[in-house]
Amino acid sequence: MTAIKHALQRDIFTPNDERLLSIVNVCKAGKKKRNCFLCATVTTERPVQVNVVKVKKSDKGDFYKRQTAWALRELAVVDAKDAIKENPEFDLHFDKVYKWVASSTAEKNTFISCIWKLNQRYLRKKIDFINVSSQLLEESVPSGENQNVAGGDEEVVDEYQELNAREEQDIEIMMEGCEYAISNAEAFADKLSRELQVLDGANIQSIMASEKQVNILMKLLDEALKEVDQIEVKLSSYEEMLQSVKEQMDQISESNHLIHLSNTNNLKLLSEIEFLVNHMDLAKGHIKALQEGDLSSSRGIEACTNAADALLQCMNVALQPGHDMLHAVKQQQQRFSDLREQFARRLASHLNNVFVQQGHDQSSTLAQHSVELTLPNHHPFHRDLLRYAKLMEWLKNTDYGKYEGLTKNYMDYLSRLYEREIKDFFEVAKIKMTGATKEGKKFATLPRKESAVKQETESLHGSSGKLTGSTSSLNKLSVQSSGNRRSQSSSLLDMGNMSTSDLDVADRTKFDKIFEQVLSELEPLCLSEQDFISKFFKLQQHLSLPGTAVGDAEEMDGGTLSRSHNAGGPQSMSSENHMIRQMMIKIFRCIEPELNNLIALGDKIDSFNSLYMLVKMSHHVWTAQNVDPTSFLSTTLGNVLVTVKRNFDKCISNQIKQMEDVKISKKSKVGILPFVAEFEEFAALAESIFKNAERRGDLDKAYLKLIRGVFTNVEKVANESQKTPRDVVMMENFHHIFATLSRLKISCLEAEKKEAKQKYTDHLQSYVIYSLGQPLEKLNHFFEGVEARVAQGVREEEVSYQLAFNKQELRKVIKEYPGKEVKKGLDNLYKKVDKHLCEEENLLQVVWHSMQDEFIRQYKHFEGLIARCYPGSGITMEFTIQDILDYFSSIAQSH
């Protein structure tokens, strides 16, 4: 470091007339380690300028260059970071804060000490040194007060100082007087020693000459001591005099302290009294309102509400410890309790009277709603009662017993009122439903026996239009003779027509509207009542996420259902939410049974009504769950939806059972089976009902069950059929099923549609091959023998040399089948096919065309064998392909 210091002095500071006093090796804190030097310098000329200079090594070489300089007077703060622990970091506050890290703590301390000395010596402005050890600063204080600042710079600041120009001149003069000083140093030293002895002697003589002056000084000191003794005596007397004054002042101070303490206590007492008066004083107007306020008028209710709130604030004031022991406080609290009890009793009595009066007023409006399918509006009653909502909240917070009593009374009165209204409402709905069909009205007037006969007659002739239900008995359907088979089949077709008649559609549409009206009336009734209960009784509703209500908790797999009456939200539901639900259950306890009875009636009238009910109920459950999944309405409709779904599944099961029970006549052709036509009706009706429905999945499952049942039972009936060939039954019915599915475009039955088409095609081909058989029987046997010989290894061109299959034998066989005989055989075949097929499906021409193709295929096969096995023989069939086409065309036209 010394070598660097001398180098910097020589290269940088001496050319600028500056002297380097201290140096420290530093780098910037927190950045990449790039070392530089901070130097403390002073100028050699007067006035002295003190600077802090930043020097760093040049990037192009090993020399140093001056980078930045700050005047010491610009330095505001020196922060050493830690005055106790060794820390090489320090900050210098110039125009901004410069953070440095020294190479060692010792260099940092030396540099800071030098800065402190220069500040003490040259600057009037004092720099703040923070986090600097006091010991470091004390060591830097000069020992002599009258030290010559100008001459002692070098000793204080640094051990090494260069000679200035004057010092160099004096030394040169002295050495000129002793020319031998350089050549003979010992002689020069002896001379200097002798001169020093001379100076010491002169100093001693001077001291001895000043002895007289010393004696005079000692005399003056003795006189001064005497004066001091006199002053001390006077001070002692003054102290004795002041002692009594001190005692009096102490008494006055103690008295002032007591006065101050008394004032403080009085202020505290006044503050406590003001607190009690301000917070436990109830205005006379409030007291009068609580005792005599009118609870019937809006103004009186508002006054009572304000008074009740003020009373509650007075009773709930937070008293300080000890306040409750004051007699006045106890007396006021007892007064408040009496007021609260009196007003609570008066409020509960008034509200009970309001509940009773509501029951009487609402009962008078039931008559006008008994004819219309509407429920009475409770909004005016709710509006009047909501004026008491704040008072109910006050009663809940102050007297929960009376609050519970009012809640119970409200549920009792309103449950009876709603029960009357809802039962009357459902009676009107049932009357409208049972009067919706003419048949229902006739049944009501017929004796029981006549009704049973009529029911059986309708089941035979198809007026009910259903596979299931109380008026459907297709399982009893049986055709007894071939003579009446066609009329019975026509009757079955009429069944499909009648079931989709305008009358039947109108009845079902009317039922759908009535059921929708019932649900639409119940939904706002329940929601408005639940909202009123929440607001009036101050019960906060806690909504849970959609999808957690009972409707979504159902498990529907394989036609089985399970439901939980406790569903509707998490088990940790709040007590207030639970209380709302319990109140709604108590008030509307008749809704679920009445809905179930209505559903049972609709299902009894027409089992297909379960489709309408499933769609409507699903939609309302979905809507209720979106509003509040845990509400009473959502839970109740979810439970009823389970019943509707069961009825729907029962309807599907009954249809499948009736498919299995269908019997056919053994003496007449089958045609389109009744349950196939009924499936078409069911699918068309279901598609119109379930369009845009939320529970499409239920219908898709029913479709799959029904179509599998139809497929199975079509095959069953086909196998049992004796009059109609099995292939005809399968072909006609699967063609009808394929046409139905193609028309309705039911996405979940795409696979079944393809299967029906495949079955229809397969059985069409099977029937054609079976019916057509071998129209040229002998020719068939002949060529079968030819193919057998070829299969045994005989070459095709050598077959004609076989005795049994020579050309002469072939000509004989061909002559047995002239064109006239072929046409006669085809005409008989057409009549046979016509007897097998039914008119409804109109497949005769399709089958006849397929037979034509098959006949031509056999003809071409025979022609090919003749050409290969009897080449050049000139043998041909006695009729051509054109003749075959003419035969088939003329036969079809003639019939």
Side-chain angles (χ1 to χ4, degrees):
M1 183 63 72
T2 304
I4 295 175
K5 186 174 181 182
H6 285 299
L8 294 177
Q9 177 67 52
R10 182 184 67 247
D11 298 337
I12 297 177
F13 298 113
T14 298
N16 293 328
D17 295 330
E18 289 180 291
R19 188 162 64 246
L20 177 61
L21 303 182
S22 181
I23 184 173
V24 58
N25 185 7
V26 296
C27 63
K28 287 188 178 181
K31 293 191 175 181
K32 187 176 181 181
K33 302 296 183 180
R34 297 187 64 181
N35 291 346
C36 59
F37 296 98
L38 290 181
C39 305
T41 66
V42 295
T43 58
T44 57
E45 297 181 356
R46 304 286 182 178
V48 177
Q49 299 292 326
V50 185
N51 298 319
V52 176
V53 182
K54 178 183 175 184
V55 177
K56 74 171 186 177
K57 183 178 285 188
S58 175
D59 297 334
K60 299 180 179 180
D62 294 336
F63 62 91
Y64 295 91
K65 65 178 181 179
R66 184 186 189 120
Q67 186 177 20
T68 309
W70 300 276
L72 189 64
R73 64 176 176 273
E74 296 177 1
L75 182 61
V77 178
V78 176
D79 186 359
K81 296 297 183 181
D82 197 331
I84 300 174
K85 297 181 180 179
E86 292 188 357
N87 187 353
E89 297 182 6
F90 66 97
D91 297 346
L92 299 181
H93 296 230
F94 288 102
D95 53 340
K96 63 178 183 178
V97 179
Y98 295 89
K99 298 182 180 293
W100 307 99
V101 180
S103 59
S104 67
T105 306
E107 286 187 20
K108 181 190 82 170
N109 293 338
T110 302
F111 183 76
I112 292 176
S113 176
C114 179
I115 296 294
W116 191 86
K117 292 173 185 177
L118 293 173
N119 178 57
Q120 294 294 323
R121 188 174 301 279
Y122 294 109
L123 297 183
R124 294 181 180 179
K125 171 188 172 185
K126 300 303 179 181
I127 300 172
D128 292 334
F129 289 81
I130 59 176
N131 296 322
V132 180
S133 173
S134 58
Q135 183 179 1
L136 182 65
L137 300 180
E138 289 173 0
E139 291 176 354
S140 304
V141 178
S143 58
E145 294 180 0
N146 298 323
Q147 186 177 4
N148 189 348
V149 173
D153 290 347
E154 292 80 0
E155 294 178 4
V156 175
V157 175
D158 200 346
E159 294 180 358
Y160 172 80
Q161 297 288 340
E162 290 186 0
L163 297 178
N164 56 30
R166 184 176 179 179
E167 290 173 344
E168 291 178 356
Q169 185 179 3
D170 291 341
I171 291 175
E172 288 176 357
I173 294 173
M174 184 177 63
M175 293 181 68
E176 287 175 358
C178 302
E179 296 179 353
Y180 55 88
I182 298 175
S183 59
N184 190 354
E186 291 182 359
F188 182 69
D190 289 341
K191 181 180 179 181
L192 292 177
S193 178
R194 286 193 301 272
E195 289 180 358
L196 181 61
Q197 289 177 359
V198 172
L199 289 175
D200 288 341
N203 287 334
I204 292 173
Q205 289 178 2
S206 177
I207 291 172
M208 292 178 67
S210 63
E211 183 178 359
K212 182 178 179 180
Q213 295 178 355
V214 171
N215 291 331
I216 295 171
L217 179 61
M218 295 298 293
K219 184 178 179 180
L220 291 174
L221 288 175
D222 291 338
E223 291 177 356
L225 289 174
K226 290 180 182 179
E227 292 292 334
V228 169
D229 291 339
Q230 292 177 0
I231 291 173
E232 287 182 351
V233 171
K234 289 182 179 180
L235 288 175
S236 299
S237 63
Y238 292 157
E239 185 177 0
E240 292 177 356
M241 294 170 62
L242 291 173
Q243 185 65 33
S244 61
V245 175
K246 180 177 178 298
E247 293 177 355
Q248 293 176 3
M249 292 302 297
D250 290 341
Q251 293 177 358
I252 293 172
S253 176
E254 185 177 358
S255 176
N256 287 338
H257 174 71
L258 293 175
I259 292 171
H260 177 72
L261 182 62
S262 176
N263 288 337
T264 302
N265 290 337
N266 288 335
L267 289 175
K268 288 184 178 180
L269 180 60
L270 178 62
S271 175
E272 296 294 332
I273 293 174
E274 287 178 347
F275 173 80
L276 294 175
V277 170
N278 292 336
H279 291 85
M280 295 193 67
D281 184 28
L282 191 62
K284 293 182 179 179
H286 289 331
I287 296 174
K288 184 177 180 181
L290 292 173
Q291 291 176 342
E292 304 173 1
D294 183 11
L295 291 172
S296 300
S297 63
S298 299
R299 183 175 296 180
I301 294 172
E302 184 179 0
C304 290
T305 302
N306 295 333
D309 290 339
L311 176 62
L312 186 61
Q313 291 179 1
C314 291
M315 295 185 71
N316 292 337
V317 65
L319 298 177
Q320 300 294 329
H323 284 176
D324 53 354
M325 300 178 66
L326 297 175
H327 178 71
V329 173
K330 291 180 180 179
Q331 186 177 10
Q332 193 73 345
Q333 288 178 334
Q334 183 60 42
R335 186 182 181 190
F336 290 157
S337 299
D338 294 342
L339 278 173
R340 179 190 64 187
E341 181 66 25
Q342 180 183 356
F343 180 69
R345 188 166 52 250
R346 195 162 70 91
L347 176 63
S349 176
H350 178 77
L351 289 177
N352 278 326
N353 293 334
V354 173
F355 297 158
V356 175
Q357 185 62 34
Q358 163 64 14
H360 293 308
D361 294 344
Q362 202 72 16
S363 298
S364 62
T365 64
L366 291 178
Q368 64 184 22
H369 291 277
S370 61
V371 179
E372 302 175 0
L373 192 59
T374 57
L375 282 166
N377 187 8
H378 288 250
H379 178 69
F381 175 58
H382 291 165
R383 183 190 58 219
D384 293 341
L385 278 180
L386 282 177
R387 297 182 302 169
Y388 302 94
K390 291 185 178 180
L391 290 176
M392 282 298 295
E393 183 179 12
W394 176 86
L395 189 63
K396 180 181 179 181
N397 294 329
T398 57
D399 194 339
Y400 197 78
K402 287 186 173 58
Y403 170 83
E404 279 189 325
L406 274 176
T407 303
K408 185 176 181 301
N409 290 340
Y410 179 83
M411 289 190 294
D412 291 340
Y413 292 135
L414 267 294
S415 62
R416 291 195 292 268
L417 175 61
Y418 275 122
E419 187 171 1
R420 291 196 304 271
E421 293 178 352
I422 291 171
K423 284 187 176 181
D424 290 346
F425 173 72
F426 275 94
E427 283 301 320
V428 175
K430 291 174 185 178
I431 291 171
K432 289 182 177 293
M433 284 183 180
T434 54
T437 62
K438 296 180 179 179
E439 289 83 352
K441 295 178 181 178
K442 293 178 181 178
F443 290 167
T445 58
L446 287 173
R448 183 175 181 182
K449 185 174 181 181
E450 273 188 54
S451 178
V453 173
K454 182 175 179 62
Q455 180 176 348
E456 181 175 324
T457 305
E458 287 184 347
S459 68
L460 288 173
H461 292 281
S463 63
S464 65
K466 305 181 296 297
L467 277 172
T468 65
S470 59
T471 62
S472 179
S473 57
L474 281 173
N475 55 330
K476 300 178 182 178
L477 189 60
S478 174
V479 182
Q480 302 298 328
S481 64
S482 60
N484 63 2
R485 173 58 186 154
R486 188 169 297 275
S487 63
Q488 293 283 349
S489 177
S490 176
S491 177
L492 286 173
L493 288 175
D494 291 341
M495 176 190 292
N497 295 331
M498 292 185 67
S499 62
T500 56
S501 64
D502 295 339
L503 177 62
D504 200 24
V505 171
D507 292 344
R508 289 174 179 168
T509 303
K510 188 171 184 179
F511 171 83
D512 184 36
K513 291 181 179 179
I514 293 171
F515 192 73
E516 171 63 23
Q517 180 68 17
V518 169
L519 296 179
S520 299
E521 289 290 326
L522 288 176
E523 186 172 320
L525 180 71
C526 293
L527 291 177
S528 64
E529 183 63 32
Q530 179 168 321
D531 184 61
F532 168 75
I533 288 174
S534 174
K535 293 178 180 178
F536 181 70
F537 292 99
K538 293 300 176 182
L539 300 172
Q540 187 65 29
Q541 298 186 64
H542 303 279
L543 300 184
S544 61
L545 293 175
T548 58
V550 67
D552 289 343
E554 300 168 8
E555 298 176 0
M556 303 182 182
D557 188 11
T560 60
L561 289 156
S562 64
R563 74 180 180 187
S564 171
H565 293 281
N566 297 325
Q571 293 181 354
S572 57
M573 186 178 296
S574 67
S575 58
E576 290 189 352
N577 212 16
H578 177 72
M579 187 173 178
I580 292 177
R581 191 167 61 254
Q582 292 301 318
M583 290 180 68
M584 291 292 292
I585 291 173
K586 179 71 179 299
I587 292 173
F588 293 107
R589 58 176 178 262
C590 64
I591 284 184
E592 187 171 343
E594 289 294 334
L595 271 174
N596 286 331
N597 292 336
L598 188 68
I599 290 167
L601 177 62
D603 192 59
K604 185 177 180 180
I605 294 173
D606 186 347
S607 64
F608 278 3
N609 286 336
S610 61
L611 277 71
Y612 291 97
M613 291 187 286
L614 181 62
V615 172
K616 295 300 182 184
M617 189 61 70
S618 298
H619 174 71
H620 283 272
V621 168
W622 179 80
T623 304
Q625 287 177 358
N626 285 338
V627 175
D628 182 4
T630 62
S631 66
F632 165 80
L633 179 65
S634 177
T635 305
T636 302
L637 293 182
N639 292 338
V640 176
L641 177 60
V642 175
T643 303
V644 174
K645 181 60 171 60
R646 285 175 177 167
N647 290 343
F648 176 74
D649 291 340
K650 183 180 177 182
C651 173
I652 302 302
S653 299
N654 288 340
Q655 290 188 20
I656 295 174
K657 184 176 183 301
Q658 290 179 7
M659 293 179 195
E660 297 170 353
D661 294 342
V662 166
K663 303 296 181 182
I664 61 170
S665 174
K666 297 180 180 180
K667 297 181 180 181
S668 59
K669 62 183 178 181
V670 177
I672 302 302
L673 293 170
F675 54 80
V676 174
E678 291 298 336
F679 173 77
E680 178 184 11
E681 178 197 353
F682 173 83
L685 178 64
E687 285 301 306
S688 65
I689 295 173
F690 277 80
K691 187 177 182 180
N692 302 325
E694 286 81 6
R695 296 183 72 97
R696 176 75 192 192
D698 296 331
L699 180 61
D700 292 343
K701 292 178 183 179
Y703 275 148
L704 293 173
K705 292 179 183 179
L706 282 175
I707 199 66
R708 298 322 308 177
V710 171
F711 281 13
T712 302
N713 287 284
V714 166
E715 294 186 8
K716 174 187 171 185
V717 172
N719 292 331
E720 295 175 355
S721 174
Q722 297 180 5
K723 181 68 175 178
T724 305
R726 177 179 183 275
D727 288 328
V728 173
V729 177
M730 297 286 284
M731 174 185 64
E732 290 181 330
N733 284 279
F734 279 108
H735 177 268
H736 191 87
I737 293 170
F738 171 72
T740 299
L741 297 181
S742 299
R743 177 171 54 84
L744 296 178
K745 297 178 181 179
I746 302 172
S747 58
C748 68
L749 297 181
E750 281 298 319
E752 284 72 14
K753 183 179 75 172
K754 294 178 181 178
E755 182 180 354
K757 182 179 180 182
Q758 186 63 42
K759 286 181 179 292
Y760 155 69
T761 305
D762 293 344
H763 288 285
L764 171 62
Q765 188 65 26
S766 176
Y767 176 67
V768 167
I769 295 174
Y770 169 79
S771 298
L772 190 60
Q774 297 178 346
L776 311 175
E777 185 174 358
K778 292 181 180 181
L779 193 59
N780 264 295
H781 289 312
F782 181 84
F783 281 112
E784 284 176 3
V786 172
E787 290 175 342
R789 290 294 186 275
V790 173
Q792 292 172 2
V794 178
R795 296 174 62 182
E796 289 183 343
E797 59 271 14
E798 295 178 358
V799 172
S800 60
Y801 299 108
Q802 298 288 326
L803 183 61
F805 301 102
N806 57 28
K807 298 176 183 179
Q808 190 64 28
E809 292 296 326
L810 176 60
R811 287 188 179 95
K812 287 181 181 181
V813 174
I814 290 176
K815 285 182 180 180
E816 293 184 13
Y817 294 100
K820 185 177 181 181
E821 289 296 326
V822 172
K823 183 177 180 181
K824 181 179 179 182
L826 290 176
D827 187 67
N828 293 332
L829 178 62
Y830 186 90
K831 294 177 181 179
K832 178 181 176 183
V833 172
D834 188 33
K835 290 181 180 180
H836 289 164
L837 299 180
C838 67
E839 297 177 0
E840 298 93 324
E841 205 59 22
N842 196 21
L843 289 177
L844 179 58
Q845 295 304 319
V846 176
V847 174
W848 188 242
H849 188 271
S850 298
M851 287 184 172
Q852 173 182 291
D853 294 339
E854 178 63 22
F855 193 91
I856 293 174
R857 186 191 67 77
Q858 291 186 18
Y859 179 86
K860 289 181 178 180
H861 178 64
F862 297 155
E863 287 285 342
L865 285 175
I866 293 172
R868 292 195 305 273
C869 297
Y870 303 93
S873 63
I875 301 174
T876 59
M877 304 287 286
E878 293 194 0
F879 54 90
T880 63
I881 292 178
Q882 185 60 44
D883 293 334
I884 296 172
L885 294 174
D886 292 340
Y887 298 158
F888 274 92
S889 177
S890 63
I891 291 171
Q893 291 176 2
S894 66
H895 290 279

